[in-house]
Amino acid sequence: AQRVTQPEKLLSVFKGAPVELKCNYSYSGSPELFWYVQYSRQRLQLLLRHISRESIKGFTADLNKGETSFHLKKPFAQEEDSAMYYCALRATGGGNKLTFGTGTQLKVEL
Amino acid sequence: DTEVTQTPKHLVMGMTNKKSLKCEQHMGHRAMYWYKQKAKKPPELMFVYSYEKLSINESVPSRFSPECPNSSLLNLHLHALQPEDSALYLCASSQADTTSYEQYFGPGTRLTVT
């Protein structure tokens, strides 16, 4: 069975500081990894997927299969980045099921 | 239209009531999902429909009954719920047959069981 771990419930950084939200997974196969974000009073939305290797809103995430990690990074935090961030895994051959981590609340302070 | 819509936004029901939650999308997605989300917790998958057929039931109690009448609509029928079923119920949709896909989420229905 697959599992996603986000060790930090809350991460507080100052505006302009670098941000790293940690995500580790356990899965014996080859997973698809995603980062979803939920801004206050808005719906859950996709931020990044590992397969596209893109940068969205300045965020990047690299899949490290050796460390089974998919950490989310941004060099300079902005106030509008404050939100709940969920790492999620889709098992290949596992149908359309997403397994979510417990989430990290990012707070960017001025 | 790239949105998933859900009605109602809020619902209060007694433990003996029968009610339904509705979800609609017009993106041509053939996979649709119901999730339950408690406060400050991640979404928990309940059901997955693929091509209008139930493909995943995450051992959800029978007081929750999903229905997919066509490729655009998804319902969740509720009967004899318990107070602990109070939560935000999220609907999502996605492509059914791609190697990499995105789930589009609705805003949710806030359910309170009294």
Side-chain angles (χ1 to χ4, degrees):
Chain A
Q2 58 265 30
R3 189 172 173 178
V4 178
T5 303
Q6 293 179 252
E8 301 136 332
K9 269 190 167 180
L10 173 65
L11 183 63
S12 189
V13 301
F14 286 106
K15 180 181 173 181
V19 174
E20 184 179 45
L21 292 97
K22 295 189 190 312
C23 172
N24 288 89
Y25 67 91
S26 63
Y27 176 58
S28 55
S30 186
E32 289 181 68
L33 275 297
F34 305 84
W35 277 99
Y36 278 81
V37 61
Q38 195 166 28
Y39 300 102
S40 179
R41 288 186 289 279
Q42 292 188 30
R43 65 185 69 196
L44 195 61
Q45 57 187 285
L46 180 69
L47 180 64
L48 281 178
R49 70 194 93 188
H50 90 267
I51 206 162
S52 56
R53 304 179 68 83
E54 58 199 342
S55 173
I56 303 290
K57 299 185 180 182
F59 285 98
T60 58
D62 289 316
L63 178 61
N64 185 324
K65 291 187 178 180
E67 295 182 0
T68 59
S69 68
F70 188 57
H71 302 327
L72 184 67
K73 299 178 184 179
K74 184 170 183 176
F76 307 105
Q78 301 299 314
E79 196 180 354
E80 56 267 26
D81 296 329
S82 296
M84 178 68 88
Y85 291 81
Y86 292 103
C87 184
L89 178 152
R90 179 192 183 207
T92 51
N96 291 314
K97 180 177 175 178
L98 272 184
T99 300
F100 286 88
T102 50
T104 298
Q105 180 73 48
L106 175 64
K107 186 177 177 184
V108 180
E109 301 183 77
L110 299 174
Chain B
D1 187 353
T2 57
E3 272 206 347
V4 175
T5 58
Q6 290 186 245
T7 55
K9 283 187 178 178
H10 301 275
L11 179 62
V12 180
M13 60 186 290
M15 289 190 283
T16 57
N17 290 160
K18 280 186 182 180
K19 296 285 184 184
S20 296
L21 310 184
K22 294 185 188 304
C23 174
E24 192 166 1
Q25 57 86 17
H26 295 287
M27 293 179 276
H29 291 163
R30 302 302 295 276
M32 295 186 77
Y33 312 78
W34 280 115
Y35 288 88
K36 175 182 177 180
Q37 188 178 27
K38 292 278 206 179
K40 305 288 187 188
K41 298 288 186 186
E44 296 174 33
L45 183 66
M46 300 174 73
F47 303 104
V48 180
Y49 272 84
S50 185
Y51 294 98
E52 296 87 68
K53 287 186 168 40
L54 184 66
S55 60
I56 296 177
N57 177 342
E58 292 285 283
S59 303
V60 179
S62 59
R63 57 185 183 269
F64 294 91
S65 176
E67 179 197 19
C68 190
N70 61 56
S71 60
S72 300
L73 291 174
L74 186 67
N75 298 320
L76 186 63
H77 303 297
L78 314 172
H79 178 230
L81 294 194
Q82 304 296 309
E84 59 265 29
D85 296 322
S86 298
L88 183 68
Y89 287 83
L90 298 173
C91 174
S93 71
S94 75
Q95 303 282 0
D97 288 326
T98 55
T99 54
S100 178
Y101 76 107
E102 173 180 354
Q103 286 192 20
Y104 291 78
F105 284 83
T109 293
R110 177 79 56 193
L111 175 68
T112 303
V113 181
T114 61

